[in-house]
Amino acid sequence: MENEAGALSRVAGLFSARGYNIESLTVAPTEDETLSRMTIVTRGSDDVIEQITKQLNKLIDVVKVVDLSEAGHIERELMLVKVRAEGEWREEMKRMSDIFRGRIVDVTDKTYTIELTGAGYKLDAFLEALDKGAILETVRTGASGIGRGDRILKL
Amino acid sequence: MELTGAEIVVRCLAEEGVEFVFGYPGGAVLNIYDEVFKQNKFKHVLVRHEQAAVHAADGYARASGRTGVALVTSGPGATNAVTGIATAYMDSIPLVVISGQVPTAAIGMDAFQEVDMVGITRPCVKHNFLVKDVKDVAVTIKKAFYLASTGRPGPVVVDIPKDVTQHKTEFVYPKKVSMRSYNPVIKGHPGQVKRAVQMILEARRPMLYTGGGVVLSNASEELTQFARLLGFPCTSTLMGLGGYPATDPLFTGMLGMHGTYEANMAMQHCDVLIAIGARFDDRVIGNPEHFFQDGRRIIHIDIDPTSIAKRVKVDVPIVGNVKDVLAEMIKLIQASKEKPDQPALKTWWTQIELWRARDCLKYDRDSSLIKPQYVIEKMYEVTRGEAYVTSDVGQHQMWAAQYYKFDQPRHWINSGGLGTMGFGMPAAMGVQFAHPEATVACITGEGSIQMNIQELSTCKQFNLPLKIILLNNRYLGMVRQWQEFFYGNRYAESYMDALPDFAKLAESYGHVGMKIEKPEDVEGALQEAFAMKERLVFMNFITDQAENVYPMIPAGKGLSEMILV
Ligand SMILES: Cc1cc2nc3c(=O)[nH]c(=O)nc-3n(C[C@H](O)[C@H](O)[C@H](O)COP(=O)(O)OP(=O)(O)OC[C@H]3O[C@@H](n4cnc5c(N)ncnc54)[C@H](O)[C@@H]3O)c2cc1C
Ligand SMILES: Cc1ncc(C[n+]2csc(CCOP(=O)(O)OP(=O)(O)O)c2C)c(N)n1
Ligand SMILES: [Mg+2]
């Protein structure tokens, strides 16, 4: 979409005004500074998704819309998890992070902050696998997506 | 030469060929008003309430086909305009609304008369802009007019901070503007158009369902030619009335909640439904589940893809401008050797005539009370069906739609989508400005007229000879009707006590007032009023309080579940 003030609120407003759900929404500028790119994760029947696509296209600030889920695509989300890292947990948290290919990016004598990237379900699985008592804080970016191969969203 | 933002605003409006700006001044737009004062390219119409400014611009747009322009100040001026903007949005009317804003440095500071106009209007505009730099004023106004009037039309708000109207820059008005993210489709997809024509030629029980898109697209001629070429029955939504001549035998009347029996039955029982610039509104088809009919195929022509397959699944969607698509279809039909099955069509018409024979719009003509339907019928005769008619919202609106037979487009002007009481008189002002010589009438109720009664003053200032037809039933009649039908006659707050003497009220504003209490006086009074070409006449008809609008489909029911008289 056009990299204009207010473009984000038009999209967010559309979803709330028409009762569509947003599971996540990410937005950032692109290599073309006049454009920004948004990935929205939403759920609905085929009819609802069709309406959402049309309604998004109708917004003047929206330049192009693709439904990534229609074909092969890659979806990634980044999560930071702060966990307890005292006593027996210190070794356990390191091990879990390694299994899920996480990286410990901040260390104190009581905590680790683990960075993990992957599809949403992988991040969910990591949180499932951790002892609930060990989780102090989580923050997730929401998904970013891109088509596989030569499926390219560009002007 | 460098001009101030305010000068640029005024120059842009002149460049766009704007004839009238409907507005109301205030602090944030004083610089603009100073430039309005100094110019003579367009006329400024001072209303008495900003809502009326927008409705007047809207009425002007509907009657003329051009973009209406309103100018309001920040804060309360802007919020007063919102109902007008939402009204235009729901009916797809091209407007440019310029609102003042507090100076850029004060934005976000809870400054005096600050509201987030762009935020407030976002869900009820086609697009809106906050202009933060004087260099952007001209191009933004150009874009605003372009967006408002092309594709599916709609209102566009341009919010301009006061300091931007003071700053200076070189003025260049762009000749053209294009936006990479906005490319409305005009011509229908050739493959889809062909498929549709094939389906049309195979139809045995066809029905044309036409709407506001026909009027917006100036496609009445094409529609008329198309229907006559095929001999197909035609109905219209409330918004489409006049798009097809109502006195033509192919016309079955309005459809929907208060539509005719024949139109609704034909709509339900046809085998090929051709929807043309109509959006399957809930007031039209009721419950989509009841509307569904096995074996009926639907062709849908609309310029806005979101209108298609929104409430009803369609077989042949055609995104495009009605005028272009119909012209293309006419060509294909004329070139084709096939013709619709004539005996089947004849059988279908026999059925429709049987439905028509129910005479669903009959009413008691011998009553000793004034029947509202009778007033409209007589008014139709007195004006020879040629008046521009605006209305407010309620029972009177439905009677106007049912009994005034509109043969021409842009002559019936009402708020369908938002249903805004208070629309009628200010809209009529805009219509009269668009057509100074024409007869313009506003059909209203005593509830609705009081929502913008102050505009009688504007009418005096500008000598607008409107004819106000008040169907005074001393009730919020449409509400009372629902309470009678669905709430066990509990008339909660639908009775209007302490009404003014409307004739005297009109006189106090400098107009002519009349009160008509007997059926035998109706025709004479109308003749007298419409003969007064130079004066606004306010006609207070004391009508039968208990009259209801028939037919009626209860909300949520199907088209064939009508309540008839
Ligand atoms: C009290 C009350 C009672 C009502 N009862 C009824 C009733 O009984 N029957 C009824 O019909 N309505 C009724 N309405 C009105 C109803 O609410 C809707 O406003 C109306 O039915 C919508 O009309 P439409 O489908 O023609 O669409 P419009 O709102 O006129 O929309 C026009 C459609 O055409 C499309 N379009 C615009 N320009 C073009 C173009 N150039 N080319 C192609 N397509 C174009 C638009 O995208 C849109 O989809 C009532 C309203 C009120 C207030
Ligand atoms: C601004 C606004 N408020 C409320 C309504 C709900 N409403 C629809 S019709 C109606 C009654 C209108 O009364 P009146 O103008 O007297 O017309 P009548 O139905 O009696 O002909 C009301 C209150 C509305 N449409 N608009
Ligand atoms: Mg009333």
Side-chain angles (χ1 to χ4, degrees), chain B residues 246-516:
Chain B
T247 51
D248 189 275
L250 298 180
F251 193 63
T252 58
M254 180 174 82
L255 84 165
M257 181 175 273
H258 295 296
T260 65
Y261 184 67
E262 53 272 30
N264 284 337
M265 292 302 276
M267 182 84 175
Q268 189 68 28
H269 297 288
C270 62
D271 71 341
V272 175
L273 179 61
I274 306 135
I276 308 173
R279 57 187 173 83
F280 292 91
D281 185 77
D282 51 280
R283 291 262 157 151
V284 172
I285 62 157
N287 186 334
E289 276 159 37
H290 295 230
F291 179 66
F292 177 80
Q293 183 86 25
D294 221 10
R296 178 182 56 201
R297 288 176 298 172
I298 302 179
I299 299 164
H300 192 179
I301 309 168
D302 202 293
I303 203 158
D304 179 357
T306 71
S307 284
I308 299 178
K310 179 166 63 183
R311 303 192 69 235
V312 168
K313 276 203 180 5
V314 303
D315 301 275
V316 187
I318 302 175
V319 177
N321 185 26
V322 165
K323 198 178 177 73
D324 293 83
V325 175
L326 285 183
E328 188 59 31
M329 286 184 162
I330 290 168
K331 251 196 264 162
L332 292 177
I333 293 166
Q334 283 170 334
S336 165
K337 282 187 237 31
E338 285 171 71
K339 273 190 95 179
D341 183 332
Q342 295 304 305
L345 197 53
K346 193 150 175 276
T347 313
W348 178 227
W349 268 111
T350 310
Q351 174 62 69
I352 292 172
E353 292 306 337
L354 280 175
W355 287 324
R356 184 143 43 195
R358 283 288 302 253
D359 192 11
C360 67
L361 294 180
K362 63 179 174 282
Y363 63 90
D364 175 12
R365 287 168 190 277
D366 306 320
S367 171
S368 59
L369 301 171
I370 298 180
K371 288 288 180 180
Q373 302 95 324
Y374 177 71
V375 177
I376 311 280
E377 276 186 348
K378 284 295 153 198
M379 184 195 142
Y380 172 75
E381 287 170 24
V382 169
T383 59
R384 293 182 306 280
E386 289 165 359
Y388 285 86
V389 179
T390 74
S391 91
D392 268 300
V393 172
Q395 293 181 314
H396 60 274
Q397 176 187 23
M398 293 300 109
W399 289 316
Q402 292 173 330
Y403 295 89
Y404 200 101
K405 298 191 258 318
F406 294 94
D407 276 343
Q408 298 170 69
R410 301 194 178 280
H411 278 58
W412 164 239
I413 284 151
N414 79 138
S415 164
L418 199 66
T420 308
M421 290 170 68
F423 174 81
M425 184 168 42
M429 300 185 328
V431 176
Q432 190 78 76
F433 278 109
H435 302 290
E437 302 304 322
T439 301
V440 182
C442 165
I443 296 173
T444 185
E446 76 297 332
S448 295
I449 194 72
Q450 292 190 84
M451 286 211 180
N452 267 321
I453 191 90
Q454 76 287 345
E455 295 308 316
L456 283 172
S457 172
T458 311
C459 292
K460 185 64 195 169
Q461 184 179 343
F462 293 90
N463 290 316
L464 302 176
L466 307 181
K467 303 296 172 280
I468 311 286
I469 314 288
L470 167 59
L471 301 179
N472 186 347
N473 53 9
R474 286 85 71 214
Y475 270 117
L476 299 175
M478 186 56 93
V479 173
R480 190 203 56 77
Q481 177 168 345
W482 282 59
Q483 290 168 334
E484 178 186 330
F485 286 9
F486 312 118
Y487 293 89
N489 298 304
R490 292 181 298 282
Y491 297 139
E493 306 301 323
S494 56
Y495 181 73
M496 277 259 156
D497 217 343
L499 290 172
D501 178 333
F502 285 105
K504 274 197 192 146
L505 181 65
E507 282 164 13
S508 80
Y509 277 105
H511 302 303
V512 180
M514 289 183 178
K515 185 176 187 181
I516 306 95

Side-chain angles (χ1 to χ4, degrees), chain B residues 144-199:
Chain B
F145 277 90
Y146 171 60
L147 288 172
S149 60
T150 55
R152 179 178 185 168
V156 177
V157 167
V158 182
D159 198 32
I160 312 181
K162 187 168 187 180
D163 55 326
V164 173
T165 64
Q166 270 153 348
H167 296 158
K168 287 188 159 185
T169 190
E170 206 60 48
F171 172 62
V172 205
Y173 199 62
K175 284 263 169 306
K176 266 193 74 172
V177 62
S178 74
M179 298 166 80
R180 61 180 167 189
S181 59
Y182 177 74
N183 299 295
V185 177
I186 302 299
K187 294 242 178 293
H189 184 279
Q192 293 293 82
V193 173
K194 257 199 212 116
R195 270 184 66 205
V197 166
Q198 196 54 42
M199 202 174 271

Side-chain angles (χ1 to χ4, degrees), chain B residues 209-224:
Chain B
Y209 154 50
T210 69
V214 172
V215 177
L216 293 165
S217 166
N218 298 315
S220 296
E221 263 177 50
E222 287 79 2
L223 172 63
T224 310

Side-chain angles (χ1 to χ4, degrees), chain A residues 1-4 6 9-10 13 17-18 32 34-35 47 50-51 54-55 57-63 155, chain B residues 89 118 122-123 125-129 132 143 147 152 179-182 304-311 313:
Chain A
M1 49 195 212
E2 301 291 351
N3 192 5
E4 303 248 0
S9 51
R10 287 182 210 280
R18 294 193 182 264
D32 174 347
T34 67
L35 289 172
D47 292 349
E50 182 184 330
Q51 262 299 313
K54 289 175 174 179
Q55 292 287 354
N57 267 313
K58 186 170 160 179
L59 293 177
I60 307 293
D61 285 337
V62 172
V63 184
L155 286 192
Chain B
Y89 178 71
V118 165
R122 192 179 297 121
V125 291
K126 181 165 174 185
H127 197 58
N128 58 20
F129 299 93
K132 284 192 165 162
K143 280 184 186 170
L147 288 172
R152 179 178 185 168
M179 298 166 80
R180 61 180 167 189
S181 59
Y182 177 74
D304 179 357
T306 71
S307 284
I308 299 178
K310 179 166 63 183
R311 303 192 69 235
K313 276 203 180 5

Side-chain angles (χ1 to χ4, degrees), chain B residues 27-88:
Chain B
V29 285
L30 278 177
N31 293 321
I32 299 177
Y33 269 88
D34 199 35
E35 296 307 324
V36 168
F37 185 85
K38 294 179 198 158
Q39 60 81 47
N40 58 6
K41 293 279 202 267
F42 57 81
K43 188 180 175 98
H44 180 275
V45 178
L46 177 69
V47 293
R48 301 297 183 264
H49 187 298
E50 290 86 351
Q51 181 187 349
V54 184
H55 288 331
D58 177 325
Y60 169 84
R62 293 184 202 229
S64 68
R66 311 188 56 192
T67 300
V69 180
L71 173 59
V72 299
T73 193
S74 69
T79 54
N80 272 351
V82 172
T83 300
I85 295 168
T87 302

Side-chain angles (χ1 to χ4, degrees), chain B residues 221-244:
Chain B
E221 263 177 50
E222 287 79 2
L223 172 63
T224 310
Q225 195 190 347
F226 179 72
R228 288 183 183 159
L229 182 65
L230 294 160
F232 284 4
C234 180
T235 181
S236 164
T237 67
L238 182 71
M239 299 315 294
L241 293 175
Y244 191 86

